[in-house]
Amino acid sequence: MNDTDVSKQIQQMVRFIRQEAEEKANEISVSAEEEFQIEKLQLFEADKKKIKQDYERKTKQVDVKKKIEYSMQLNASRIKVLQAQDDVVNSMKESAANELLQLSNDKKLYQKLLKSLIFQSLMRLKEQAVILRCRQMDRKLVEGVLEEAKKEYADKAKVQTPKVTIDTNVYLPPPRSNPDSHDRFCSGGVVMASQDGKIVIENTLDARLDVAFRQKLPEIRKRLLSE
């Protein structure tokens, strides 16, 4: 083989190697492009999923926040309604209490009321020896109807006339002179107890007013809500 043949053979080998290298490089390039596209798609899907999750999380947070705000506003509104109701009820009770203060001004009517309160207390106590407390200003009015109330009780209960002792050492407090005063007061009525003090019947006008309002409070609130 001469030099010319050797040179040709070398050139053919070089072209073959170059062609094979180019094909291999092309395959690598195509493969790298495919891997790149796959990775890019995976990253895109991952980002899309993350964005969707973030959106859903933030949407839920907004929904929860709205529900909390709505609940707080609803509770605040309910509290305002209840406060307004309480204000009206307290105003009604205060008005009734002021009327009670005027009740004792009519001596004849008030003395008749005292007799009824004493009789009711005796019926509830059912004791033969009873202690009675009243306001000092009401003592003579009480003394004026006490015997009649005792007799009415004895006839009604078919028992002996009970012994009722007016407590002259401890009187019920006087009526309220100042609406803003926090001192103890009594608008009228009596407090009666068994001799041993174990049973006490508070039959003052203020106690009767409290009982009446507690009993009527559901009805009052119902009417206020319907207005």
Side-chain angles (χ1 to χ4, degrees):
M1 181 180 294
N2 55 34
D3 291 340
T4 302
D5 292 335
V6 171
S7 177
K8 286 180 180 181
Q9 190 172 11
I10 291 172
Q11 288 177 1
Q12 287 177 353
M13 290 177 64
V14 169
R15 283 197 299 268
F16 175 77
I17 293 171
R18 184 180 295 168
Q19 183 179 354
E20 191 175 55
E22 289 176 355
E23 288 176 356
K24 193 65 177 177
N26 188 50
E27 287 178 7
I28 293 172
S29 177
V30 171
S31 178
E33 179 65 23
E34 288 177 354
E35 290 178 0
F36 171 74
Q37 293 297 332
I38 291 172
E39 186 176 353
K40 185 171 72 171
L41 183 61
Q42 288 176 341
L43 290 173
F44 174 75
E45 291 296 330
D47 288 342
K48 187 170 72 172
K49 184 178 181 181
K50 183 180 178 182
I51 291 171
K52 184 179 179 181
Q53 289 175 342
D54 288 343
Y55 174 77
E56 290 176 350
R57 179 176 56 80
K58 290 180 180 179
T59 301
K60 287 181 180 179
Q61 288 177 345
V62 171
D63 289 341
V64 170
K65 186 177 179 181
K66 285 182 178 179
K67 288 178 180 178
I68 292 173
E69 289 177 352
Y70 174 76
S71 179
M72 291 175 64
Q73 290 174 358
L74 186 61
N75 287 336
S77 298
R78 286 174 178 167
I79 290 172
K80 285 182 180 179
V81 170
L82 291 175
Q83 183 61 55
Q85 288 180 2
D86 286 342
D87 291 343
V88 172
V89 170
N90 290 334
S91 177
M92 292 171 63
K93 189 175 180 181
E94 187 68 24
S95 177
N98 290 332
E99 291 184 20
L100 287 180
L101 289 173
Q102 305 304 318
L103 187 61
S104 60
N105 292 336
D106 188 336
K107 300 300 181 183
K108 187 176 180 180
L109 177 63
Y110 180 55
Q111 192 171 35
K112 184 178 179 181
L113 177 60
L114 284 171
K115 176 193 164 185
S116 296
L117 295 173
I118 294 170
F119 169 75
Q120 290 172 8
S121 299
L122 288 171
M123 290 295 293
R124 293 175 64 186
L125 281 169
K126 291 182 169 56
E127 295 282 330
Q128 281 302 305
V130 177
I131 297 173
L132 183 151
R133 286 178 181 163
C134 62
R135 299 185 301 183
Q136 189 170 9
M137 61 189 293
D138 293 339
R139 179 178 170 181
K140 290 191 178 300
L141 294 175
V142 169
E143 290 175 341
V145 296
L146 183 56
E147 291 303 319
E148 190 176 348
K150 286 162 56 178
K151 184 177 183 305
E152 184 178 346
Y153 162 71
D155 292 343
K156 181 76 173 178
K158 294 181 171 51
V159 295
Q160 291 184 348
T161 302
K163 178 185 177 182
V164 179
T165 304
I166 298 176
D167 190 342
T168 56
N169 295 317
V170 180
Y171 289 101
L172 299 180
R176 183 173 57 184
S177 57
N178 184 352
D180 298 326
S181 175
H182 296 290
D183 295 335
R184 292 178 65 249
F185 67 91
C186 177
S187 301
V190 295
V191 173
M192 299 181 69
S194 59
Q195 195 72 35
D196 57 12
K198 291 182 178 180
I199 308 173
V200 179
I201 304 298
E202 190 173 355
N203 228 351
T204 64
L205 300 184
D206 307 291
R208 296 293 292 266
L209 179 63
D210 287 339
V211 170
F213 259 85
R214 281 198 300 271
Q215 291 175 345
K216 291 290 184 180
L217 189 57
E219 182 180 343
I220 293 171
R221 290 194 183 279
K222 185 176 179 181
R223 289 189 178 184
L224 289 174
L225 282 172
S226 63
E227 292 179 357

